[in-house]
Amino acid sequence: LAQGAAVLTVVTGALGVSYLGKSVNLSVDGKADEVHAFGSTVGDILESEDITLGSHDSVVPSVGSQVKDGDTITVRYGRKLVVTIDGVQKEFWTTATTVDAALRDLGLHAEGAVLSASRSQALGRQGLSLTMTTPKAVNLVVGGQTYARTTTAPKVADLLKDENVTIGDKDRVNPGVDTPITAGLSIVVNRVEVKQATRTEAIAFSSTETTDDSLYTDQKKVVTKGVAGEKTITLEQTLVDGALESERVTGEAVTKEPVAQVVAKGTKARPAPT
């Protein structure tokens, strides 16, 4: 009896160890290991491996699922991804381990978008903040010529740089170079030129009157013919895209003095008719 009891105790203990001990494949963020642990559920295995799950973490099968030898448990930790898309900040949680995989999972894998981080960059448990600029169709008008462009430039200044458009000191850019690029935006660059010019204008002559006693009172005679003078006017002209916008007089000089016209008026009375 004593021997039988001892044998039964050994068999029962062996069966208990066999029931509780499990060899499972545990994959944590893509890194797989074979672990041996005691327990009957996924939660028991995770607890034995000191794995605590947060609200954004995932485990397959679920924590309460029963496990058996050879099962695979997959754990993925959640990462906080802050993405500023065209100036608008959004927050996401993902279990992906690379930037590219996270963007695909979140539906943010915009074709042609420019990122501040490499798509192949690893996404650690600490999370990541990045910016995304999506392609936008815009109109660029330079010196009166219109160009349709698709760009990922964040601001007007960046677009002008990409298009090799240099801005002179007097050129005008509308909207300003710090304006964010939005779909359908029209950027107008006016080429402004300020130059000096001259023109000649006539100076009207004056007229004076004198008397002549050899002429009757109803008679007049031009003694000295008037001659118009001339002056040269200096101008500052502002041309926008080649067209004159405004001009300002900066000086003038008389190059020919006018000659006044002298007219003689008669003073002699006509004789009475016979």
Side-chain angles (χ1 to χ4, degrees):
L1 289 176
Q3 288 178 342
V7 171
L8 181 61
T9 300
V10 171
V11 171
T12 304
L15 289 173
V17 171
S18 175
Y19 176 74
L20 294 175
K22 301 290 188 303
S23 288
V24 298
N25 297 313
L26 179 60
S27 174
V28 179
D29 281 340
K31 182 180 179 181
D33 288 305
E34 184 178 347
V35 299
H36 185 82
F38 293 95
S40 60
T41 65
V42 170
D44 296 333
I45 303 300
L46 297 181
E47 183 178 358
S48 68
E49 294 296 314
D50 295 325
I51 295 177
T52 302
L53 298 179
S55 59
H56 298 288
D57 302 332
S58 71
V59 59
V60 178
S62 62
V63 173
S65 299
Q66 297 292 315
V67 292
K68 61 183 181 298
D69 280 336
D71 280 352
T72 297
I73 300 172
T74 303
V75 175
R76 286 187 175 273
Y77 290 113
R79 284 111 163 122
K80 185 177 182 180
L81 185 63
V82 180
V83 187
T84 302
I85 306 173
D86 294 332
V88 180
Q89 188 180 90
K90 297 182 179 181
E91 294 184 358
F92 305 94
W93 282 91
T94 179
T95 58
T97 55
T98 65
V99 170
D100 190 59
L103 295 178
R104 284 201 308 270
D105 292 348
L106 297 170
L108 301 176
H109 201 266
E111 188 67 29
V114 174
L115 305 177
S116 61
S118 171
R119 291 182 182 271
S120 61
Q121 180 175 328
L123 187 56
R125 292 183 62 183
Q126 73 276 11
L128 182 67
S129 294
L130 59 86
T131 60
M132 173 187 289
T133 305
T134 59
K136 302 170 192 67
V138 299
N139 288 318
L140 177 61
V141 183
V142 181
Q145 297 293 318
T146 302
Y147 307 91
R149 291 291 184 266
T150 299
T151 179
T152 55
K155 293 183 179 181
V156 169
D158 303 304
L159 169 64
L160 297 178
K161 182 179 179 180
D162 293 344
E163 295 295 324
N164 296 317
V165 177
T166 57
I167 304 300
D169 293 340
K170 294 180 175 58
D171 292 343
R172 304 168 187 168
V173 181
N174 186 37
V177 294
D178 291 327
T179 303
I181 296 291
T182 54
L185 183 67
S186 289
I187 302 101
V188 179
V189 178
N190 295 123
R191 298 303 192 187
V192 180
E193 179 186 3
V194 177
K195 67 177 186 177
Q196 303 299 316
T198 59
R199 69 166 176 253
T200 301
E201 290 185 358
I203 303 174
F205 59 82
S206 60
S207 182
T208 61
E209 193 173 83
T210 187
T211 59
D212 188 340
D213 58 7
S214 67
L215 298 174
Y216 291 114
T217 56
D218 60 348
Q219 293 179 319
K220 287 185 177 181
K221 182 177 70 173
V222 176
V223 178
T224 304
K225 185 178 180 180
V227 180
E230 285 183 352
K231 63 181 178 181
T232 300
I233 297 176
T234 304
L235 304 166
E236 183 182 85
Q237 295 180 330
T238 300
L239 290 83
V240 179
D241 297 334
L244 180 64
E245 180 187 67
S246 64
E247 61 182 14
R248 179 174 64 90
V249 176
T250 58
E252 61 179 54
V254 177
T255 55
K256 179 182 177 182
E257 294 287 349
V259 177
Q261 181 164 282
V262 180
V263 179
K265 179 177 173 56
T267 59
K268 182 172 68 172
R270 285 189 177 275
T274 58

